Amino acid sequence: MRCRINNVKNYVPINNREIFCLDTNVLYWYCYPRSIEGMHPVRKSEIQAYYDFVDRLVENGNPLVVSVYNVTEFLNVIEKRECEIYRTLHPEFPIGVKDLRGMLEERERLAKNMRVGLNNVKETCKIVDQEITISILDKFVDRLEQHKCDVFDFAVLENYIKEENLNIVTDDSDFSTIESIHIFTANQAMLSLKDAECRRASL
Protein backbone atom coordinates (compact mmCIF):
# COMPACT_ATOMS: atom_id res chain seq x y z
CA MET A 1 0.00 0.00 0.00
CA ARG A 2 1.30 3.47 -0.82
CA CYS A 3 2.27 5.71 2.06
CA ARG A 4 -0.02 8.69 2.45
CA ILE A 5 2.93 11.11 2.67
CA ASN A 6 5.72 10.74 0.11
CA ASN A 7 9.12 12.41 -0.17
CA VAL A 8 9.55 14.17 -3.53
CA LYS A 9 13.32 13.82 -3.25
CA ASN A 10 13.28 10.04 -3.68
CA TYR A 11 9.87 9.19 -5.13
CA VAL A 12 10.16 7.83 -8.66
CA PRO A 13 6.97 7.91 -10.76
CA ILE A 14 6.38 4.63 -12.57
CA ASN A 15 2.86 4.74 -13.96
CA ASN A 16 2.86 7.62 -16.45
CA ARG A 17 -0.94 7.64 -16.57
CA GLU A 18 -1.16 8.67 -12.93
CA ILE A 19 -2.43 12.24 -12.42
CA PHE A 20 -0.68 14.67 -10.07
CA CYS A 21 -2.24 17.91 -8.82
CA LEU A 22 -0.03 20.93 -8.08
CA ASP A 23 -0.79 23.20 -5.14
CA THR A 24 -0.31 26.95 -5.58
CA ASN A 25 3.08 27.09 -3.89
CA VAL A 26 4.57 24.42 -6.16
CA LEU A 27 2.89 25.93 -9.21
CA TYR A 28 4.42 29.31 -8.36
CA TRP A 29 7.93 27.95 -7.89
CA TYR A 30 7.81 25.88 -11.06
CA CYS A 31 6.07 28.28 -13.43
CA TYR A 32 7.18 31.74 -12.32
CA PRO A 33 10.84 32.52 -13.12
CA ARG A 34 11.17 35.32 -10.54
CA SER A 35 9.74 33.33 -7.63
CA ILE A 36 13.05 32.63 -5.88
CA GLU A 37 14.89 35.90 -6.56
CA GLY A 38 16.61 37.05 -3.39
CA MET A 39 15.61 33.91 -1.48
CA HIS A 40 17.85 32.40 1.21
CA PRO A 41 20.06 29.60 -0.23
CA VAL A 42 18.65 27.02 2.21
CA ARG A 43 15.10 27.76 1.14
CA LYS A 44 16.16 27.70 -2.53
CA SER A 45 17.53 24.20 -1.98
CA GLU A 46 14.23 23.06 -0.44
CA ILE A 47 12.26 24.50 -3.34
CA GLN A 48 14.60 22.90 -5.88
CA ALA A 49 13.34 19.50 -4.69
CA TYR A 50 9.85 20.40 -5.92
CA TYR A 51 11.17 21.75 -9.21
CA ASP A 52 13.13 18.54 -9.81
CA PHE A 53 10.12 16.38 -8.91
CA VAL A 54 7.78 18.19 -11.29
CA ASP A 55 10.47 17.93 -13.96
CA ARG A 56 10.53 14.15 -13.43
CA LEU A 57 6.76 13.99 -13.75
CA VAL A 58 6.88 16.01 -16.99
CA GLU A 59 9.67 13.84 -18.40
CA ASN A 60 7.75 10.69 -17.42
CA GLY A 61 4.63 11.93 -19.18
CA ASN A 62 2.41 12.12 -16.09
CA PRO A 63 -0.62 14.40 -16.52
CA LEU A 64 -0.38 17.50 -14.30
CA VAL A 65 -3.56 19.16 -13.10
CA VAL A 66 -4.22 22.47 -11.35
CA SER A 67 -7.46 24.02 -10.15
CA VAL A 68 -8.57 27.29 -11.68
CA TYR A 69 -8.70 28.56 -8.09
CA ASN A 70 -5.00 27.79 -7.65
CA VAL A 71 -4.26 29.71 -10.84
CA THR A 72 -6.22 32.65 -9.44
CA GLU A 73 -4.10 32.53 -6.29
CA PHE A 74 -0.97 32.11 -8.42
CA LEU A 75 -1.64 35.41 -10.19
CA ASN A 76 -2.26 37.15 -6.86
CA VAL A 77 1.04 35.83 -5.51
CA ILE A 78 2.87 37.11 -8.60
CA GLU A 79 1.43 40.59 -8.07
CA LYS A 80 2.48 40.61 -4.41
CA ARG A 81 5.93 39.35 -5.34
CA GLU A 82 6.42 42.03 -7.99
CA CYS A 83 5.44 44.65 -5.41
CA GLU A 84 8.01 43.23 -2.97
CA ILE A 85 10.70 43.35 -5.64
CA TYR A 86 9.85 46.96 -6.44
CA ARG A 87 10.00 47.96 -2.76
CA THR A 88 13.38 46.23 -2.40
CA LEU A 89 14.75 48.15 -5.38
CA HIS A 90 13.09 51.42 -4.28
CA PRO A 91 13.05 51.43 -0.45
CA GLU A 92 12.23 55.13 -0.50
CA PHE A 93 8.80 54.26 -1.96
CA PRO A 94 6.92 51.93 0.45
CA ILE A 95 4.08 51.28 -1.99
CA GLY A 96 1.28 48.71 -1.94
CA VAL A 97 -0.03 46.43 -4.66
CA LYS A 98 -2.68 48.88 -5.86
CA ASP A 99 -0.07 51.65 -6.02
CA LEU A 100 2.05 49.50 -8.32
CA ARG A 101 -0.86 49.13 -10.73
CA GLY A 102 -1.20 52.90 -10.78
CA MET A 103 2.31 53.27 -12.27
CA LEU A 104 2.10 52.79 -16.04
CA GLU A 105 5.55 51.30 -16.58
CA GLU A 106 5.26 48.97 -13.59
CA ARG A 107 1.74 47.92 -14.57
CA GLU A 108 2.94 46.99 -18.04
CA ARG A 109 5.84 45.02 -16.55
CA LEU A 110 3.45 43.28 -14.15
CA ALA A 111 1.08 42.31 -16.97
CA LYS A 112 4.01 40.94 -18.98
CA ASN A 113 5.27 38.87 -16.03
CA MET A 114 1.77 37.58 -15.29
CA ARG A 115 1.39 36.55 -18.92
CA VAL A 116 4.70 34.67 -18.81
CA GLY A 117 3.60 32.86 -15.66
CA LEU A 118 0.13 32.06 -16.98
CA ASN A 119 1.50 30.77 -20.28
CA ASN A 120 3.91 28.53 -18.36
CA VAL A 121 1.00 27.12 -16.36
CA LYS A 122 -0.99 26.42 -19.53
CA GLU A 123 1.99 24.66 -21.12
CA THR A 124 2.68 22.56 -18.03
CA CYS A 125 -0.74 21.69 -16.61
CA LYS A 126 -4.35 21.06 -17.44
CA ILE A 127 -6.36 23.78 -15.71
CA VAL A 128 -9.60 22.33 -14.35
CA ASP A 129 -12.75 24.31 -13.56
CA GLN A 130 -14.06 23.68 -10.07
CA GLU A 131 -17.00 24.85 -7.97
CA ILE A 132 -17.14 26.10 -4.41
CA THR A 133 -20.64 25.13 -3.38
CA ILE A 134 -22.62 25.76 -0.22
CA SER A 135 -22.39 22.01 0.41
CA ILE A 136 -18.59 22.26 0.50
CA LEU A 137 -18.76 25.28 2.80
CA ASP A 138 -21.07 23.38 5.16
CA LYS A 139 -18.64 20.47 5.17
CA PHE A 140 -15.74 22.84 5.88
CA VAL A 141 -17.49 24.18 8.97
CA ASP A 142 -18.83 20.83 10.16
CA ARG A 143 -15.35 19.24 10.00
CA LEU A 144 -13.41 22.20 11.38
CA GLU A 145 -12.08 20.18 14.31
CA GLN A 146 -10.75 17.50 11.98
CA HIS A 147 -8.55 19.57 9.65
CA LYS A 148 -6.40 22.71 9.51
CA CYS A 149 -6.97 23.80 5.90
CA ASP A 150 -8.30 27.23 5.08
CA VAL A 151 -11.64 27.29 3.29
CA PHE A 152 -10.02 27.87 -0.10
CA ASP A 153 -7.68 24.85 0.10
CA PHE A 154 -10.41 22.70 1.61
CA ALA A 155 -12.74 23.44 -1.31
CA VAL A 156 -10.05 22.66 -3.90
CA LEU A 157 -9.22 19.37 -2.18
CA GLU A 158 -12.89 18.40 -1.91
CA ASN A 159 -13.19 18.85 -5.67
CA TYR A 160 -10.07 16.75 -6.27
CA ILE A 161 -11.37 14.00 -3.97
CA LYS A 162 -14.69 13.98 -5.82
CA GLU A 163 -12.80 13.72 -9.13
CA GLU A 164 -10.55 10.99 -7.64
CA ASN A 165 -7.45 13.07 -8.31
CA LEU A 166 -5.75 12.18 -5.04
CA ASN A 167 -2.03 12.82 -5.68
CA ILE A 168 -1.27 16.31 -4.36
CA VAL A 169 2.15 17.99 -4.64
CA THR A 170 2.37 20.59 -1.89
CA ASP A 171 4.56 22.25 0.73
CA ASP A 172 1.55 23.09 2.93
CA SER A 173 1.51 21.16 6.22
CA ASP A 174 -2.23 21.76 6.62
CA PHE A 175 -2.87 19.26 3.81
CA SER A 176 -1.64 16.42 6.04
CA THR A 177 -4.87 16.77 8.07
CA ILE A 178 -6.94 15.59 5.09
CA GLU A 179 -6.87 11.80 5.32
CA SER A 180 -8.02 10.73 1.86
CA ILE A 181 -5.25 12.27 -0.27
CA HIS A 182 -1.70 11.19 -1.15
CA ILE A 183 0.79 13.97 -0.43
CA PHE A 184 4.08 14.49 -2.26
CA THR A 185 6.27 16.93 -0.37
CA ALA A 186 9.70 18.06 0.82
CA ASN A 187 8.20 19.65 3.93
CA GLN A 188 10.05 18.20 6.92
CA ALA A 189 7.10 18.69 9.26
CA MET A 190 5.01 16.36 7.10
CA LEU A 191 7.85 13.95 6.37
CA SER A 192 8.33 13.44 10.11
CA LEU A 193 4.91 11.73 10.04
CA LYS A 194 5.88 9.54 7.10
CA ASP A 195 7.71 6.62 8.75
CA ALA A 196 5.04 5.95 11.35
CA GLU A 197 2.25 6.10 8.75
CA CYS A 198 4.13 3.80 6.38
CA ARG A 199 4.65 1.28 9.15
CA ARG A 200 0.94 1.28 9.91
CA ALA A 201 0.13 0.97 6.18
CA SER A 202 2.31 -2.15 5.90
CA LEU A 203 0.52 -4.01 8.71
Side-chain angles (χ1 to χ4, degrees):
M1 180 181 294
R2 171 182 291 170
C3 298
R4 194 173 68 86
I5 299 174
N6 303 273
N7 191 334
V8 297
K9 293 181 180 179
N10 54 35
Y11 184 87
V12 178
I14 297 175
N15 180 1
N16 64 4
R17 300 177 67 181
E18 207 170 11
I19 295 172
F20 287 79
C21 307
L22 306 187
D23 189 26
T24 304
N25 44 31
V26 177
L27 186 71
Y28 174 65
W29 296 326
Y30 192 78
C31 291
Y32 189 54
R34 288 159 65 88
S35 64
I36 61 173
E37 283 188 16
M39 191 175 287
H40 191 279
V42 173
R43 186 56 174 154
K44 280 186 179 180
S45 176
E46 293 170 349
I47 290 171
Q48 187 65 41
Y50 292 103
Y51 196 96
D52 293 344
F53 180 64
V54 176
D55 259 355
R56 291 201 297 275
L57 293 176
V58 171
E59 291 171 5
N60 195 50
N62 289 90
L64 301 180
V65 165
V66 65
S67 166
V68 67
Y69 294 118
N70 289 123
V71 179
T72 301
E73 189 176 26
F74 168 78
L75 293 175
N76 284 335
V77 174
I78 288 177
E79 187 165 21
K80 291 177 182 177
R81 178 61 181 149
E82 289 301 317
C83 188
E84 289 173 0
I85 291 173
Y86 182 87
R87 286 199 298 261
T88 299
L89 295 174
H90 306 278
E92 69 277 16
F93 300 117
I95 66 168
V97 169
K98 300 301 182 184
D99 300 313
L100 192 72
R101 283 202 205 179
M103 304 163 67
L104 177 60
E105 185 175 341
E106 296 304 321
R107 184 172 68 246
E108 290 176 346
R109 182 179 291 110
L110 173 62
K112 180 179 178 181
N113 287 330
M114 280 185 169
R115 175 51 60 189
V116 168
L118 186 57
N119 286 344
N120 286 343
V121 173
K122 290 178 179 179
E123 291 173 4
T124 305
C125 307
K126 176 183 178 182
I127 302 173
V128 295
D129 291 325
Q130 293 182 335
E131 290 185 320
I132 298 180
T133 64
I134 188 61
S135 174
I136 289 176
L137 298 181
D138 281 335
K139 191 178 292 186
F140 169 80
V141 175
D142 292 342
R143 298 182 181 178
L144 202 58
E145 295 182 359
Q146 302 172 27
H147 69 85
K148 295 183 179 179
C149 291
D150 62 37
V151 65
F152 182 88
D153 287 335
F154 183 89
V156 170
L157 291 176
E158 279 295 302
N159 275 277
Y160 282 148
I161 292 167
K162 180 181 178 182
E163 298 155 3
E164 298 186 352
N165 290 334
L166 303 180
N167 298 325
I168 314 296
V169 187
T170 184
D171 192 59
D172 191 338
S173 295
D174 293 343
F175 283 39
S176 65
T177 61
I178 304 295
E179 290 291 334
S180 53
I181 61 174
H182 299 137
I183 296 171
F184 296 81
T185 189
N187 183 309
Q188 289 302 315
M190 285 194 279
L191 292 175
S192 66
L193 305 173
K194 181 181 188 302
D195 290 340
E197 292 204 356
C198 284
R199 284 196 296 271
R200 288 198 297 271
S202 65
L203 295 178

